[in-house]
mmCIF file with all atom_site columns, all heavy atoms in Angstrom:
data_model
loop_
_atom_site.group_PDB
_atom_site.id
_atom_site.type_symbol
_atom_site.label_atom_id
_atom_site.label_alt_id
_atom_site.label_comp_id
_atom_site.label_asym_id
_atom_site.label_entity_id
_atom_site.label_seq_id
_atom_site.pdbx_PDB_ins_code
_atom_site.Cartn_x
_atom_site.Cartn_y
_atom_site.Cartn_z
_atom_site.occupancy
_atom_site.B_iso_or_equiv
_atom_site.pdbx_formal_charge
_atom_site.auth_seq_id
_atom_site.auth_comp_id
_atom_site.auth_asym_id
_atom_site.auth_atom_id
_atom_site.pdbx_PDB_model_num
ATOM 1  N N   . ALA A 1 120 ? 119.484 90.812  52.152 1.00 0.00 ? 469 ALA A N   1
ATOM 2  C CA  . ALA A 1 120 ? 118.058 91.006  51.853 1.00 0.00 ? 469 ALA A CA  1
ATOM 3  C C   . ALA A 1 120 ? 117.884 92.106  50.783 1.00 0.00 ? 469 ALA A C   1
ATOM 4  O O   . ALA A 1 120 ? 118.596 93.133  50.799 1.00 0.00 ? 469 ALA A O   1
ATOM 5  C CB  . ALA A 1 120 ? 117.302 91.372  53.124 1.00 0.00 ? 469 ALA A CB  1
ATOM 6  N N   . ILE A 1 121 ? 116.882 91.906  49.908 1.00 0.00 ? 470 ILE A N   1
ATOM 7  C CA  . ILE A 1 121 ? 116.531 92.917  48.896 1.00 0.00 ? 470 ILE A CA  1
ATOM 8  C C   . ILE A 1 121 ? 116.126 94.205  49.561 1.00 0.00 ? 470 ILE A C   1
ATOM 9  O O   . ILE A 1 121 ? 116.451 95.300  49.117 1.00 0.00 ? 470 ILE A O   1
ATOM 10 C CB  . ILE A 1 121 ? 115.405 92.387  47.985 1.00 0.00 ? 470 ILE A CB  1
ATOM 11 C CG1 . ILE A 1 121 ? 115.920 91.191  47.168 1.00 0.00 ? 470 ILE A CG1 1
ATOM 12 C CG2 . ILE A 1 121 ? 114.917 93.496  47.068 1.00 0.00 ? 470 ILE A CG2 1
ATOM 13 C CD1 . ILE A 1 121 ? 114.792 90.548  46.317 1.00 0.00 ? 470 ILE A CD1 1
ATOM 14 N N   . GLY A 1 122 ? 115.425 94.057  50.692 1.00 0.00 ? 471 GLY A N   1
ATOM 15 C CA  . GLY A 1 122 ? 115.013 95.247  51.425 1.00 0.00 ? 471 GLY A CA  1
ATOM 16 C C   . GLY A 1 122 ? 116.160 96.068  51.956 1.00 0.00 ? 471 GLY A C   1
ATOM 17 O O   . GLY A 1 122 ? 116.094 97.283  52.050 1.00 0.00 ? 471 GLY A O   1
ATOM 18 N N   . VAL A 1 123 ? 117.241 95.407  52.303 1.00 0.00 ? 472 VAL A N   1
ATOM 19 C CA  . VAL A 1 123 ? 118.468 96.146  52.768 1.00 0.00 ? 472 VAL A CA  1
ATOM 20 C C   . VAL A 1 123 ? 119.068 96.906  51.621 1.00 0.00 ? 472 VAL A C   1
ATOM 21 O O   . VAL A 1 123 ? 119.505 98.090  51.779 1.00 0.00 ? 472 VAL A O   1
ATOM 22 C CB  . VAL A 1 123 ? 119.461 95.163  53.381 1.00 0.00 ? 472 VAL A CB  1
ATOM 23 C CG1 . VAL A 1 123 ? 120.760 95.857  53.700 1.00 0.00 ? 472 VAL A CG1 1
ATOM 24 C CG2 . VAL A 1 123 ? 118.885 94.502  54.639 1.00 0.00 ? 472 VAL A CG2 1
ATOM 25 N N   . VAL A 1 124 ? 119.068 96.350  50.431 1.00 0.00 ? 473 VAL A N   1
ATOM 26 C CA  . VAL A 1 124 ? 119.604 97.030  49.262 1.00 0.00 ? 473 VAL A CA  1
ATOM 27 C C   . VAL A 1 124 ? 118.769 98.238  48.958 1.00 0.00 ? 473 VAL A C   1
ATOM 28 O O   . VAL A 1 124 ? 119.300 99.312  48.518 1.00 0.00 ? 473 VAL A O   1
ATOM 29 C CB  . VAL A 1 124 ? 119.601 96.078  48.030 1.00 0.00 ? 473 VAL A CB  1
ATOM 30 C CG1 . VAL A 1 124 ? 120.069 96.817  46.755 1.00 0.00 ? 473 VAL A CG1 1
ATOM 31 C CG2 . VAL A 1 124 ? 120.466 94.849  48.285 1.00 0.00 ? 473 VAL A CG2 1
ATOM 32 N N   . ASP A 1 125 ? 117.478 98.172  49.233 1.00 0.00 ? 474 ASP A N   1
ATOM 33 C CA  . ASP A 1 125 ? 116.540 99.295  49.000 1.00 0.00 ? 474 ASP A CA  1
ATOM 34 C C   . ASP A 1 125 ? 116.556 100.302 50.156 1.00 0.00 ? 474 ASP A C   1
ATOM 35 O O   . ASP A 1 125 ? 115.767 101.276 50.145 1.00 0.00 ? 474 ASP A O   1
ATOM 36 C CB  . ASP A 1 125 ? 115.126 98.774  48.794 1.00 0.00 ? 474 ASP A CB  1
ATOM 37 C CG  . ASP A 1 125 ? 115.003 97.996  47.504 1.00 0.00 ? 474 ASP A CG  1
ATOM 38 O OD1 . ASP A 1 125 ? 115.872 98.148  46.599 1.00 0.00 ? 474 ASP A OD1 1
ATOM 39 O OD2 . ASP A 1 125 ? 114.072 97.161  47.380 1.00 0.00 ? 474 ASP A OD2 1
ATOM 40 N N   . GLY A 1 126 ? 117.424 100.115 51.169 1.00 0.00 ? 475 GLY A N   1
ATOM 41 C CA  . GLY A 1 126 ? 117.528 101.089 52.221 1.00 0.00 ? 475 GLY A CA  1
ATOM 42 C C   . GLY A 1 126 ? 116.890 100.597 53.532 1.00 0.00 ? 475 GLY A C   1
ATOM 43 O O   . GLY A 1 126 ? 116.892 101.367 54.503 1.00 0.00 ? 475 GLY A O   1
#
Side-chain angles (χ1 to χ4, degrees):
I470 295 176
V472 172
V473 178
D474 293 338

